[in-house]
Amino acid sequence: MSPAMNFIDGAWRPATAGTLRNVINPADGSVLAQVADSTVEDTRLAIAAARRAFYEIGTWRRMSGAKRAALLYKVADVIQADAGRLAEVDCLDNGKPLREAQADVDDAVACFRYYAGLIGKPQGGVYEVPDGFGEMHAYAMHEPVGVCGLITPWNYPLLMATWKLAPALAAGNSVVLKPSELTPLSAIELFKIFEKVGLPPGTANLVLGTGPAAGQELAASDQVDMITFTGSTRTGQVIATQAVGNLKKVGLELGGKSPNIIFADADFEGAVEWAMIGVFFNQGQVCSAGSRILIEESLKDRFVERLAQRARGMRIGPGLTNPDIGAIVSQAQLDKVLGFIDRARASGARVVCGGRRHVADGCERGYFVEPTVIDGCTPDMEIVREEVFGPAVSIQTFRTEQEAITMANDTRYGLAGGVFTSDGARALRVMKELRAGITWINCYNPTFNEAPWGGYKMSGYGRDLGVNGLLEYQQVKQVNINLHPGPVGWYAQA
Ligand code: TXE
């Protein structure tokens, strides 16, 4: 297979330095593909193309919303027609179970359709304004921001790119996407689709490479009008700092350490299974993962026993075999996850199940971690405070509703949280007290294109998805029209 290249100004181009990077299959450590390994030079070329397309040529931003929508509907149709193959691409590249990759592709199709539909709906507003300067008509219109840099992570390669590309393009922007260097393959497929449906050259550009070499310029360049990023809080801080130079618009969706609060009156089996979905889905590599279970003391022993029993029963394997748990994305992430578990053990927590690398049943050469339940955790432990981003959950107990709330909010993050109880009023009380941008009651992790997604506190700012997701990629222009042109008599006539 020939190496995959950058897509700049409507053409596929190798990195200017001619360098390549291997993309690894985390299920067995083999090389899946070779792709361009870009430098800041390549990113600058992509930014220049995006600027030309937006500011000089202007085809896409001047196109009617209906025509842009028609193209985005086509993108959705082509993804859908090729869904099986695209799911396999993400499955091999990221390591996730095939059915989860298939769900990602379905969500991506729906996301392109959602924003294609939304761009045709009424936006802005007409205002009744005072007539001190005479009768005026005032309204607000929404316009694209300009050139948007999009930097995406490896945990949902196709979907995270789509969450940003679909609204940014619907709004009429030009974009430069820098996907994670670990999982660039589905983004390459997506850009082949953009080429096929005939997006105007320079409107959507793809730069492949690492964050510091290829991504950072998108944050730092004064030729970029906006940067949106999903990834670690540390990198988000770097990006926000870099972006200050030209005060570009910034959207950040960062890490989390989200509490999953389970009261003794919750539906027991339901809470167990949702807790599993909360922390084992996508091998726990989910920013919203319910990685801190806070459980009412009286239910704890029974709950932990059942959770561990179910976790032990999960099938671990290469993504294509459609297991319950696939591979961790990379050797580095595998080491990181195992390190967290080892240090939890060393600090006095009890690993009830899992906790080791899985090396049997066809997983010998891949990066697999057993689903892990860690009991006896205290608030100061690293396993309770830091994002693990792997299939490991800490257990803590509470006695009262207020104690649960205090423990839940005892984190620098604020991405998500869950509440399980059969007492409806309590569910709402607790949900309202959670300092988090996404909350679930009697479920965990379902996500909808229609509803805004993003964090409080150090989990970032700005929102993906929903109407808010489109607004992020727009700016609002106020228009005031004098209905009676002529002198207003403010200054004395000379
Ligand atoms: O993330 P990075 P990494 C968390 C999770 C994980 C940790 C580290 O805890 O263990 O982050 O993962 C690009 N300028 N999340 O190192 O570095 C990078 O190339 C510009 C949570 O992979 O944040 C990639 O495209 N870009 C998360 C993207 O940033 C830079 C999802 C994410 O990489 C850059 C992933 C720089 N200086 C990891 N440095 C979530 N919120 O879902 C890196 N990048």
Side-chain angles (χ1 to χ4, degrees):
M1 199 167 58
S2 57
M5 296 183 272
N6 294 326
F7 188 70
I8 297 176
D9 215 5
W12 295 94
R13 303 181 186 192
T16 45
T19 38
L20 294 173
R21 136 180 307 273
N22 290 339
V23 178
I24 305 297
N25 178 350
D28 61 11
S30 64
V31 175
L32 265 182
Q34 287 199 308
V35 302
D37 194 17
S38 308
T39 61
V40 68
E41 279 312 305
D42 302 293
T43 309
R44 285 186 183 145
L45 287 174
I47 293 170
R51 266 195 99 75
R52 240 182 348 267
F54 188 86
Y55 288 102
E56 293 171 32
I57 305 169
T59 312
W60 184 247
R61 74 177 156 85
R62 290 200 191 97
M63 197 181 272
S64 69
K67 283 199 177 132
R68 284 203 300 271
L71 248 113
L72 295 178
Y73 278 123
K74 260 196 215 164
V75 170
D77 291 346
V78 179
I79 298 175
Q80 192 170 41
D82 207 10
R85 196 179 62 82
L86 286 169
E88 284 189 15
V89 170
D90 257 2
C91 175
L92 286 169
D93 200 1
N94 165 275
K96 62 177 67 199
L98 187 58
R99 66 176 173 162
E100 294 186 18
Q102 284 161 342
D104 291 355
V105 177
D106 291 346
D107 281 352
V109 169
C111 188
F112 273 106
R113 289 194 177 134
Y114 175 77
Y115 283 109
L118 194 60
I119 200 63
K121 302 292 181 290
Q123 284 196 299
V126 179
Y127 305 102
E128 282 292 334
V129 291
D131 59 0
F133 281 98
E135 192 184 357
M136 297 269 176
H137 179 73
Y139 71 95
M141 61 188 288
H142 289 201
E143 297 192 322
V145 178
V147 172
C148 302
L150 319 175
I151 300 181
T152 51
W154 41 261
N155 55 341
Y156 287 89
L158 178 69
L159 198 55
M160 290 303 103
T162 299
W163 280 17
K164 297 188 189 306
L165 286 164
L169 291 172
N173 295 285
S174 287
V175 302
V176 179
L177 173 72
K178 207 298 286 171
S180 169
E181 60 275 26
L182 298 177
T183 55
L185 301 184
S186 55
I188 296 164
E189 296 302 318
L190 192 51
F191 274 70
K192 288 183 192 162
I193 293 173
F194 290 161
E195 185 184 24
K196 182 171 174 175
V197 304
L199 219 60
T203 302
N205 304 276
L206 174 70
V207 179
L208 305 169
T210 66
Q216 198 152 304
E217 181 66 6
L218 291 174
S221 169
D222 63 6
Q223 302 294 298
V224 175
D225 302 300
M226 171 175 184
I227 180 92
T228 68
F229 168 75
T230 298
S232 65
T233 292
R234 184 69 209 109
T235 302
Q237 289 172 313
V238 172
I239 284 174
T241 309
Q242 297 277 340
V244 159
N246 69 332
L247 291 179
K248 60 173 65 66
K249 219 176 165 189
V250 180
L252 301 173
E253 204 268 80
L254 309 176
K257 191 70 197 175
S258 299
N260 189 3
I261 306 171
I262 299 165
F263 287 92
D265 65 354
D267 179 284
F268 182 74
E269 288 297 335
V272 170
E273 184 156 20
W274 281 113
M276 294 169 73
I277 293 171
V279 76
F280 298 142
F281 202 82
N282 209 32
Q283 296 67 249
Q285 302 166 132
V286 183
C287 51
S288 58
S291 55
R292 281 191 294 145
I293 289 181
L294 309 179
I295 186 149
E296 195 164 349
E297 200 174 71
S298 58
L299 187 66
K300 200 266 286 184
D301 289 344
R302 186 171 158 233
F303 186 89
V304 169
E305 191 181 327
R306 181 70 176 137
L307 183 65
Q309 183 188 35
R310 297 278 319 260
R312 283 190 203 100
M314 293 180 88
R315 215 165 46 81
I316 307 173
L320 285 182
T321 66
N322 222 352
D324 297 317
I325 297 256
I328 298 288
V329 73
S330 65
Q331 175 80 54
Q333 191 64 23
L334 171 85
D335 294 344
K336 191 173 161 189
V337 172
L338 293 174
F340 274 115
I341 297 170
D342 287 346
R343 289 190 296 279
R345 222 186 249 117
S347 66
R350 188 170 65 92
V351 175
V352 184
C353 69
R356 289 167 309 188
R357 182 174 183 174
H358 179 79
V359 284
D361 321 318
C363 298
E364 291 76 5
R365 283 176 298 131
Y367 316 133
F368 297 87
V369 175
E370 297 168 341
T372 302
V373 177
I374 306 174
D375 195 5
C377 299
T378 53
D380 53 315
M381 285 181 181
E382 181 196 53
I383 196 75
V384 169
R385 307 215 74 82
E386 299 299 327
E387 182 174 57
V388 174
F389 229 61
V393 65
S394 64
I395 309 276
Q396 292 171 271
T397 57
F398 64 85
R399 287 196 185 144
T400 65
E401 184 177 310
Q402 185 50 53
E403 196 186 355
I405 292 165
T406 305
M407 289 168 75
N409 287 332
D410 180 20
T411 168
R412 66 191 174 121
Y413 296 112
L415 191 59
V419 187
F420 286 81
T421 173
S422 54
D423 178 342
R426 174 158 65 189
L428 290 176
R429 278 196 306 273
V430 174
M431 178 278 295
K432 279 184 75 177
E433 290 301 313
L434 288 181
R435 301 296 298 154
I438 306 151
T439 55
W440 287 285
I441 294 175
N442 292 328
C443 59
Y444 204 100
N445 264 345
T447 304
F448 307 101
N449 288 313
E450 292 77 4
W453 176 275
Y456 290 8
K457 295 158 70 178
M458 288 188 77
S459 294
Y461 42 76
R463 291 292 177 271
D464 287 311
L465 302 181
V467 175
N468 304 67
L470 180 62
L471 287 170
E472 294 285 328
Y473 296 96
Q474 294 179 318
Q475 45 201 353
V476 179
K477 179 182 278 178
Q478 183 186 136
V479 187
N480 303 303
I481 305 163
N482 180 3
L483 299 184
H484 303 282
V488 285
W490 185 256
Y491 297 111
Q493 291 285 353

